[in-house]
Amino acid sequence: METVNIHEAKTHLSRLVDQAARGEPFIIAKAGRPLVRVTALDSPLPREQRRLGFMAGHIQVPDDFDRMGAEVLQADFEGEA
């Protein structure tokens, strides 16, 4: 595993992050003393991610959905409850 000093890590951060994302972790050291290990994060596979519209075809939304209960709400605001 590659060890780089802080100055080198700051100078080449983009390259080092790409390297770690490819599965090649590295260690950042200060004055020769290892401080941290940089590794890629485990991210969910695309099939595990939540997706919009996954219930399409399973549920039905009424055409007047955005107006449902309008009379009750209006009465509540006007004090006619």
Side-chain angles (χ1 to χ4, degrees), residues 2 8 18 37:
E2 180 181 9
E8 182 183 355
D18 288 342
R37 180 177 55 209

Side-chain angles (χ1 to χ4, degrees), residues 13-60:
L13 184 61
S14 182
R15 176 183 59 82
L16 290 167
V17 168
D18 288 342
Q19 173 185 323
R22 287 191 312 268
E24 303 170 27
F26 63 94
I27 294 173
I28 297 177
K30 183 174 185 178
R33 188 174 134 250
L35 295 177
V36 296
R37 180 177 55 209
V38 180
T39 61
L41 293 175
D42 293 329
S43 61
L45 298 174
R47 67 180 182 278
E48 296 174 2
Q49 293 177 347
R50 294 179 64 167
R51 61 189 200 288
L52 296 175
F54 73 97
M55 293 294 292
H58 297 282
I59 61 171
Q60 197 169 23

Side-chain angles (χ1 to χ4, degrees), residues 62-73:
D63 291 334
D64 66 341
F65 177 78
D66 59 341
R67 294 181 305 275
M68 292 173 61
E71 297 84 16
V72 174
L73 286 173

Side-chain angles (χ1 to χ4, degrees), residues 69-80:
E71 297 84 16
V72 174
L73 286 173
Q74 185 174 1
D76 287 345
F77 277 105
E78 292 175 356
E80 299 173 13

